[in-house]
Amino acid sequence: MLHTLSRTTIKAAARAAITAAAVSTALIATSFAAYAQPFPNKAVRIVIPFAPGGSTDANARIINDKLAAIWGQPVIIDSKPGANTIIGSEHVAKSVGDGHTLLLTSTAHVVNPSMYAKLPYDPVADLMPVTIVSVSPFALVAAIALPVKSAKDVIAMVRAKPGSVSFGTSDSSSNFAGHLFNMLAKTDLQSVSYKGAGPLMTDLAGGHVPLGFAAVSSVQGQVKAGRVRLLGVASLTPSPLFPDAPVIAADVPGYEAISWFGILAPKGTPKDVIAKIHRDVGIVLKDPDVQKRFTDMGAEVGGHTPEEFAARVKSEMELWARVAKSAGIKPE
C-alpha cells in the first residue's frame, strides 16, 4: 500500500510540475510578445528644446500628423525650452532608447560643445542621429525703426559706435552665426540670448532688440507681415522664400551659415527602429503638401540617412570649435 501511494504521489507531482512549467512558458511567451511588439506600440513623443512658435516647433508640426497616420499612434510635441536647448536635449538623452521619445533640435546641437565646458550629456555618445528634417540659411534681421537696410549698413553703424549694438539669438547656433559675422566683418556686435525664435521675433517686432540672427524659416512670418526688416540671408545663393533679399556674403565675403533641424534618438535605440523612423520621415518629406509647407517657410526638406547626419554632426562640431577658438570664445 505504501509503495502504491508513493507511486501515485510521484505521478501527481510530475503532472503538477508539467502544468506549472506550461503556465510559466506561456507567461514568458506572452511577456516576450508584448516586449517584442513592432515600433511604435504606444504614443511617440517628439521633444522640442525651444519655446513654441519657432522653426523647430514648425518642423515638428508639419510632420507629426502624417507620421501618426503611418504609425497608427499619436505623435505628441513636447516643448522643453531653456539653456540653449540643453534642458530638452538632456531629457531625451536620459530617456529609454526605444524610439518612443525623440529629440527634434537645431544646429545648436553641434555648437553647444564649443560653448559649454561640461554638458550633462554626451552629444555624440548619448544621442543617435536619425535624419535631418529640413535645412534653412540663417538670416540677419532688424527692428523696423533701426536705420539700416543691409549688412553693409550694420557694419558702418557698429564701427561708428563700437560695443553699443546688440543682436538677439534664438539658440547657440544663431549666436555663433553672429560671432562668425563679427569675425569676418571685423565688428563687435554683442549677443543677447532668447529661448527660441518666437520670443526673439516678438522682441524684434517690438523694438526691444535692434538686430537678430535666426533661420530664414523662423523670421519669414514677421518679415512678410512687415514687423521686422530682412537685411540678408547667410547662404551663398538667394533664398527661395525671399529671392530678392541680398546674400550677406556680398558685403561680408565668405559668410555662410546654414541651420538644420534634425531628429535624434537616445543611445541604445535599436538600429531597426532608427531605420524605420528615418524611412517613415522620408516618406512624409516626399509628400507634395509637406514639401510646399517647408518651401513656404524658406526651408528645403532633408531626409538624410543616419550615417550622413552623423557625418555632418561630426564635421560641424569641428568647424564651430575652430570658429570658437579663432574668436576667443571659451567654453563656460
Side-chain angles (χ1 to χ4, degrees):
M1 181 67 177
L2 289 173
H3 179 68
T4 302
L5 286 174
S6 177
R7 291 169 62 183
T8 301
T9 301
I10 291 171
K11 289 180 180 180
R15 285 195 296 270
I18 291 170
T19 300
V23 170
S24 177
T25 300
L27 289 172
I28 292 172
T30 300
S31 176
F32 180 79
Y35 176 81
Q37 287 178 13
F39 169 87
N41 53 52
K42 59 182 179 180
V44 175
R45 188 175 301 275
I46 298 180
V47 174
I48 309 298
F50 299 96
S55 286
T56 316
D57 183 65
N59 272 255
R61 295 186 187 281
I62 288 175
I63 67 172
N64 76 311
D65 286 345
K66 291 186 183 293
L67 278 178
I70 291 174
W71 290 341
Q73 296 287 350
V75 177
I76 301 166
I77 298 173
D78 184 5
S79 293
K80 292 186 180 298
N84 276 329
T85 77
I86 293 174
I87 291 175
S89 298
E90 180 185 10
H91 175 82
V92 176
K94 295 181 178 178
S95 296
V96 176
D98 61 4
H100 291 94
T101 300
L102 301 170
L103 176 69
L104 204 170
T105 190
S106 75
T107 320
H109 181 70
V110 293
V111 171
N112 279 343
S114 294
M115 292 189 67
Y116 301 95
K118 188 175 181 181
L119 293 168
Y121 58 90
D122 186 319
V124 174
D126 293 341
L127 290 164
M128 303 171 65
V130 178
T131 191
I132 291 177
V133 176
S134 74
V135 295
S136 178
F138 281 104
L140 172 59
V141 289
I144 293 295
L146 199 69
V148 294
K149 294 185 178 180
S150 68
K152 185 177 181 180
D153 290 344
V154 170
I155 294 170
M157 177 180 66
V158 175
R159 289 178 179 172
K161 299 179 179 180
S164 65
V165 184
S166 62
F167 66 95
T169 66
S170 58
D171 58 25
S172 55
S173 59
S174 60
N175 184 38
F176 265 55
H179 285 300
L180 180 59
F181 182 93
N182 274 339
M183 288 170 53
L184 296 179
K186 295 180 172 54
T187 53
D188 64 349
L189 288 165
Q190 307 298 304
S191 65
V192 179
S193 297
Y194 285 82
K195 290 185 177 180
L200 168 58
M201 289 299 105
T202 298
D203 264 16
L204 265 171
H208 303 299
V209 62
L211 298 166
F213 281 93
V216 167
S217 52
S218 295
V219 308
Q220 60 93 20
Q222 297 283 20
V223 170
K224 288 186 173 181
R227 289 190 284 268
V228 301
R229 180 181 296 118
L230 176 61
L231 303 181
V233 295
S235 53
L236 299 181
T237 56
S239 164
L241 185 61
F242 298 106
D244 296 329
V247 294
I248 297 172
D251 294 324
V252 186
Y255 184 76
E256 181 182 21
I258 306 296
S259 177
W260 51 255
F261 302 89
I263 296 174
L264 299 101
K267 67 179 178 181
T269 302
K271 288 185 178 180
D272 61 330
V273 172
I274 295 286
K276 177 173 175 55
I277 297 170
H278 162 248
R279 182 174 62 250
D280 293 343
V281 170
I283 291 171
V284 171
L285 294 179
K286 290 177 182 176
D287 184 296
D289 176 61
V290 168
Q291 293 186 348
K292 183 179 185 303
R293 291 177 69 183
F294 277 114
T295 298
D296 287 347
M297 72 180 212
E300 298 178 23
V301 298
H304 304 63
T305 66
E307 294 76 18
E308 290 169 337
F309 189 11
R312 185 164 188 160
V313 166
K314 181 177 183 297
S315 66
E316 291 191 7
M317 279 186 180
E318 294 170 351
L319 167 64
W320 292 117
R322 292 195 299 271
V323 170
K325 183 177 181 180
S326 174
I329 301 171
K330 296 181 179 180
E332 298 177 354

